[in-house]
Structure formats: structure tokens, C-alpha cells
Amino acid sequence: MRLKILSGLIFLICPFISISAQTSAQGNWLIYLGSQSFHKKWNWHNEIQYRNYNVLGDLEQLLLRTGIGYNLTENNNNILAGYAFIHTERYAFGTLPKIGSNEHRLYQQYIYRHTLKRIFIQHRYRFEQRFLTDDFKLRLRYFLAVNIPINHAVLSKDTWYLSAYNEVFIQPKSTAFDRDRIYGALGYVINKSVRLELGYMTQLLESPNKNRSQWHLLFFNNIPISKL
């Protein structure tokens, strides 16, 4: 019941937030992240991101990502290799029709997690090989995230928490900077495996006139509290 009420409130809020975004460079992302453990230290990562220019129905990008990971230690160190499919629809010169393109992506990553008093911290280093329609690109990404409990000392059931991250994208060419994502959110731990976040992200791109901001609704499934 608590999950239904919270989900309902978030979906009621989102349309009102995004209406004001229709006249600016803003959008809306719906994200599902899941992780299932199997055979002791091995885990399967699965992810869906549905990105829109406005509320819903104006697709910007659909991202499907999966991978197999291995825990080097019980909770703190994980290596993972995987594949992602990305379908993108861009407006040509700001008007219809949109131009669609597909990308196939291989990636490898390392995640390290630790705590500082009651602050949960995560570092992620990711290397991507991007197979575009008419090009091939390499990219490095560094992701730093923190989660801070509000009403409990730790991230346990029924805990509200603050979440923030910064992710920098680097490409091996003359203009090394690709983009930077800065994110802040309010989250709720439903139980040890499920949580929700509603947040706002600003994305700084190589071309300043393309900078964008998005509202995010994230649903996490089967990701243990130690891996928040």
C-alpha cells in the first residue's frame, strides 16, 4: 500500500513539473535499475531508461543496458562487463520530423563503495566502446555518488534519504570533455531491495548551447542496501 501511494504521488507531481519544461531545454527521464545475485559472488545487472523531451510520448532516447558482474569483496568492490542498446531520436533543426539512430555499446566498469560516518559513498569507473551508425568512439566515465539518511542512522526500511551524484564523461580526442551530469534527489527505501528516487539533473555538454536539465524518476529493484 505504501508503495502504491508513493508511486501515485510522484506520477501526479511529474506532469505539473514538466509542463513548465516544455518551453525550455528540459525533459523527463524514467529509469529502472535492477541487480540479481546468482552463484555466490556473481550478479546480473539490468537497466531501462526512457528519456523524453517533455512529459511522456516525445521520445528522446531509449536505453537498454545489461551486464554480468563479480564481487571482489562481499559488498564493496565489483567488476562488471556488459552491453547496451541505445535508440535516439533527435529533432532536425528544432522542428519535425525527428531523426532516429541506433547505437550498440560494450562497456566495462569497476565500482568501489564505502561509508564516511552515516554517508554512503560510491565510485564508478566505466570504459565504453560505442558502435554508432557511421562511427566508432571510445569514452571514459567517472561517477561519484553519495546517499545521506534523514530519519534513520542507516539506509534501512522506511528511510528517507538525500541523494546526489556527479558524473564526468571524457573522450580520447583533442576536446577531451564530453559532458558532466550533476544530480540531486529525495529518495525513499521501501525495503532492503526496493527504493524510489525523484530528482533533478543538469547536464553540461561540450557545446554550451546544448546544455539540458531533466527530472528523474528512478525505481531500484533487488539492489541491497549495502549497494545504494
Side-chain angles (χ1 to χ4, degrees), residues 52-183:
N52 292 271
Y53 287 102
N54 291 303
V55 186
L56 288 173
D58 191 6
L59 178 66
E60 176 190 7
Q61 193 171 75
L62 173 65
L63 184 150
L64 307 174
R65 183 184 284 125
T66 189
I68 299 297
Y70 180 79
N71 294 325
L72 299 174
T73 59
E74 185 175 356
N75 292 314
N76 296 335
N77 294 274
N78 178 271
I79 55 174
L80 184 144
Y83 164 81
F85 171 78
I86 301 95
H87 174 72
T88 303
E89 296 185 2
R90 294 185 175 90
Y91 282 101
F93 309 106
T95 60
L96 291 172
K98 289 191 288 185
I99 299 174
S101 63
N102 294 326
E103 175 184 344
H104 301 274
R105 186 182 301 174
L106 300 176
Y107 71 99
Q108 304 80 40
Q109 68 182 34
Y110 167 67
I111 291 178
Y112 173 65
R113 305 176 182 92
H114 62 100
T115 60
L116 180 61
K117 293 185 178 180
R118 59 185 293 169
I119 302 174
F120 290 75
I121 303 172
Q122 175 176 292
H123 307 264
R124 185 181 70 203
Y125 306 86
R126 179 178 288 172
F127 178 45
E128 297 178 330
Q129 303 86 52
R130 306 175 61 201
F131 298 86
L132 303 146
T133 303
D134 54 359
D135 200 2
F136 172 76
K137 294 182 179 181
L138 299 174
R139 188 165 64 184
L140 298 170
R141 300 166 59 167
Y142 170 64
F143 173 92
L144 173 63
V146 297
N147 288 293
I148 306 172
I150 298 175
N151 58 325
H152 294 118
V154 296
L155 289 166
S156 56
K157 181 180 178 182
D158 297 328
T159 299
W160 290 93
Y161 65 94
L162 297 176
S163 178
Y165 75 70
N166 187 70
E167 185 172 20
V168 179
F169 296 65
I170 301 297
Q171 51 195 355
K173 65 179 187 179
S174 57
T175 307
F177 175 78
D178 181 68
R179 69 190 63 201
D180 186 13
R181 292 175 179 169
I182 304 168
Y183 170 81

